[in-house]
Amino acid sequence: MQAELSESLFSYGTLQQAGVQQATFGRLLAGQADALVGYRRTMVKIEDARVVATSGEAYHPIVEASGDPHDRVEGTVFAVSADELAHADAYEVDDYQRVQAELASGRRAWVYVKRPG
């Protein structure tokens, strides 16, 4: 029996990869294209060997608020369960924090952004 997919999770990076989804959630996620407005995307070096092995990449994208409404980060919004959201929290390294944000579509979703400091 599948858990209720009550949460929305926006991904602009490795959580869009099929292999990362299988490793993190045990399934492929269904999603829709959307965008995060007022954020800029850069890259961060990942030091966690487990995360690098899962994604196959040592550098992952990361976003932070820019305050400029013309800045957009394209990505995908996925329906996930609360348990799957906890699995995503475990996958993301300490450089990221999960926050609620409004997407270009008007939908609200969880998104991992650059942790302040």
Side-chain angles (χ1 to χ4, degrees):
M1 182 171 146
Q2 185 169 334
E4 182 182 352
L5 303 179
S6 59
E7 303 288 343
S8 294
L9 176 62
F10 178 77
S11 174
Y12 52 85
T14 60
L15 286 173
Q16 296 179 95
Q17 296 175 2
V20 172
Q21 290 179 11
Q22 287 286 9
T24 304
F25 308 111
R27 68 181 182 97
L28 293 178
L29 304 179
Q32 295 144 354
D34 213 326
L36 189 59
V37 179
Y39 284 78
R40 280 196 192 107
R41 180 179 144 150
T42 58
M43 300 298 278
V44 63
K45 184 172 183 0
I46 303 299
E47 304 291 344
D48 185 315
R50 176 189 53 85
V51 174
V52 172
T54 300
S55 70
E57 301 173 20
Y59 288 87
H60 288 195
I62 194 165
V63 299
E64 63 184 317
S66 67
D68 183 344
H70 295 101
D71 287 337
R72 276 174 82 93
V73 177
E74 301 295 327
T76 307
V77 63
F78 298 106
V80 296
S81 70
D83 283 347
E84 288 172 330
L85 200 54
H87 289 295
D89 287 345
Y91 169 75
E92 296 294 354
V93 298
D94 289 343
D95 296 291
Y96 297 85
Q97 70 177 6
R98 178 165 50 92
V99 300
Q100 281 266 318
E102 185 171 332
L103 303 177
S105 65
R107 182 179 194 170
R108 289 195 64 78
W110 292 108
V111 61
Y112 292 96
V113 301
K114 184 177 182 178
R115 183 178 301 281

